[in-house]
Amino acid sequence: MKNKIIIIATISLFLFNSCNNDVFVDEMNASTTNLQMSGEGDSAVVGFSTSDWHILSVYYGDEYYKDVFYGKLYDVNGNIINNDDVPFYDFKIDKGYIIHSGTQEGFTISRTQDKCLNIKLNENLTGKDFMFTILIGNSFKTIPINVIQKASSGYTLDHITYKYKPQSYCKKEEWTVDTINNISKSALTIEYSVFSEERQVSSFVSTDKKAFSYLNYNQLVDIPIGIKDSILQFSNKKMYYNPHEQRKSLNFDDVYKTIVLPVGKSQILKSIEYEYFNAEYTLYIRKNDTNKIKCVSGIFKSRIPSNSNYYIFLNHRLLK
């Protein structure tokens, strides 16, 4: 009787193992699920207890699908998988690289080994904590890896320099038309402003994706006010260092023309010559925690009306 019990128990155990192989699969666990990282740029490695896992999604904060990142995917050999940016959700990345390159933050998430997840962060220039989640999973379990990156210590303006690009200089004549209706019963004399609506229109451009992220958008810098004998001219004029086109007051007084308007509608045709020029700029900024200088380069573009080459026509008649 005793022998029969042992035989039955052995057969039962064999059948149980044959039908339930998954019971003995190693459970997926991570060495850490919360990372606190430096704002100056940092890296970390998360280890896993098994090689059976995938990268499923990467999203802002800690709420799934609230706001996902976009970027590029590369295979384990560094070959790009997609040329266009794709959302980082609902995929199963086995091995390879996930790269997000923002203007103020960015990261590279990679898996090149079976049980290791590598996380490398760019400098955090947002001015606040940069928080995101990497969702890891397999057929049995998901694990969110929460990342919090502190803000960078930031930068302070040191100075800016310019180098004139002579080949960029040109002059263009531009026309505007005003229509004035004199509803009185006699001719009307007015003082017509030539430059009241005119401004120096300037902008900064750069191929550096982060060129305008190091300083606040309200940071003022010196700018050239024109060209004389192929030399950049300066005054105390400043403009904001940001990528938006800006309009600044002119460096000469407005000009007024006395115009006698006949009864009824009159057309005033104005022609002004504009000077266009570009200058290469180098922005020198100082790291707040190390005091080291960093350089950012780009192009300063400007358009300025000339106060010597302009014409006013009243009803197709040139006014002196």
Side-chain angles (χ1 to χ4, degrees):
M1 181 67 179
K2 184 176 181 181
N3 292 337
K4 288 183 180 179
I5 294 173
I6 294 173
I7 293 171
I8 292 172
T10 303
I11 294 172
S12 299
L13 182 62
F14 173 79
L15 292 174
F16 180 81
N17 287 344
S18 299
C19 298
N20 295 276
N21 289 329
D22 290 344
V23 171
F24 297 96
V25 172
D26 290 339
E27 182 180 3
M28 178 184 63
N29 290 303
S31 59
T32 182
T33 57
N34 292 285
L35 295 172
Q36 299 281 338
M37 304 183 73
S38 168
E40 313 309 325
D42 204 351
S43 60
V45 178
V46 178
F48 290 87
S49 58
T50 176
S51 60
D52 178 25
W53 55 274
H54 304 277
I55 304 171
L56 303 179
S57 298
V58 187
Y59 49 92
Y60 286 93
D62 56 4
E63 295 184 28
Y64 190 43
Y65 283 129
K66 181 178 181 181
D67 197 2
V68 298
F69 290 93
Y70 283 75
K72 290 183 167 51
L73 307 179
Y74 298 80
D75 65 21
V76 71
N77 296 314
N79 300 312
I80 192 166
I81 297 175
N82 59 303
N83 290 319
D84 298 323
D85 286 355
V86 297
F88 293 165
Y89 73 94
D90 274 357
F91 51 32
K92 289 178 67 175
I93 302 298
D94 184 12
K95 288 186 179 180
Y97 299 81
I98 300 173
I99 299 178
H100 164 71
S101 299
T103 58
Q104 295 182 311
E105 34 70 12
F107 55 72
T108 298
I109 300 169
S110 61
R111 182 189 182 189
T112 58
Q113 300 177 14
D114 289 341
K115 295 185 178 182
C116 292
L117 178 71
N118 297 280
I119 304 166
K120 183 179 180 181
L121 303 185
N122 300 342
E123 185 176 7
N124 177 11
L125 299 171
T126 64
K128 57 184 179 181
D129 286 355
F130 174 43
M131 299 181 289
F132 65 95
T133 301
I134 308 166
L135 188 64
I136 305 299
N138 59 21
S139 300
F140 309 99
K141 185 179 182 180
T142 57
I143 299 177
I145 307 297
N146 301 302
V147 180
I148 300 178
Q149 183 187 25
K150 295 298 182 181
S152 164
S153 63
Y155 296 82
T156 301
L157 173 68
D158 193 83
H159 67 285
I160 188 170
T161 61
Y162 296 89
K163 181 181 179 182
Y164 174 50
K165 299 186 69 175
Q167 69 276 17
S168 69
Y169 183 82
C170 68
K171 295 181 178 181
K172 295 181 182 179
E173 186 179 36
E174 299 181 18
W175 299 79
T176 57
V177 178
D178 290 325
T179 300
I180 301 177
N181 188 16
N182 179 10
I183 60 175
S184 65
K185 296 181 179 180
S186 59
L188 180 65
T189 301
I190 65 169
E191 293 296 313
Y192 181 78
S193 168
V194 178
F195 296 102
S196 61
E197 301 298 322
E198 299 296 329
R199 298 291 185 272
Q200 176 180 354
V201 180
S202 305
S203 62
F204 291 100
V205 296
S206 178
T207 57
D208 183 346
K209 192 173 183 178
K210 296 188 176 183
F212 304 103
S213 298
Y214 298 107
L215 300 174
N216 293 328
Y217 266 28
N218 59 358
Q219 175 65 61
L220 290 170
V221 296
D222 297 322
I223 62 169
I225 61 171
I227 300 292
K228 184 177 181 181
D229 298 328
S230 297
I231 298 175
L232 292 172
Q233 302 297 302
F234 293 86
S235 66
N236 59 352
K237 184 176 290 187
K238 298 177 182 291
M239 68 179 278
Y240 297 116
Y241 180 70
N242 64 49
H244 304 304
E245 185 177 88
Q246 299 171 58
R247 295 167 57 87
K248 307 298 291 185
S249 60
L250 301 176
N251 292 294
F252 54 83
D253 294 331
D254 196 1
V255 176
Y256 290 89
K257 290 290 185 179
T258 301
I259 297 179
V260 179
L261 298 174
V263 175
K265 291 184 178 180
S266 292
Q267 187 181 78
I268 300 177
L269 186 64
K270 178 170 63 175
S271 169
I272 297 178
E273 184 179 73
Y274 293 85
E275 293 182 338
Y276 290 78
F277 71 89
N278 296 343
E280 297 176 351
Y281 76 83
T282 301
L283 185 78
Y284 296 83
I285 52 179
R286 192 175 295 276
K287 194 75 168 67
N288 289 336
D289 60 343
T290 64
N291 214 32
K292 291 183 178 179
I293 289 288
K294 181 181 183 67
C295 295
V296 180
S297 61
I299 301 295
F300 172 79
K301 298 184 175 184
S302 190
R303 168 187 177 271
I304 306 174
S306 169
N307 64 343
S308 58
N309 294 317
Y310 64 89
Y311 302 94
I312 305 295
F313 295 84
L314 175 63
N315 297 327
H316 306 293
R317 180 172 60 86
L318 178 63
L319 300 180
K320 295 182 179 180

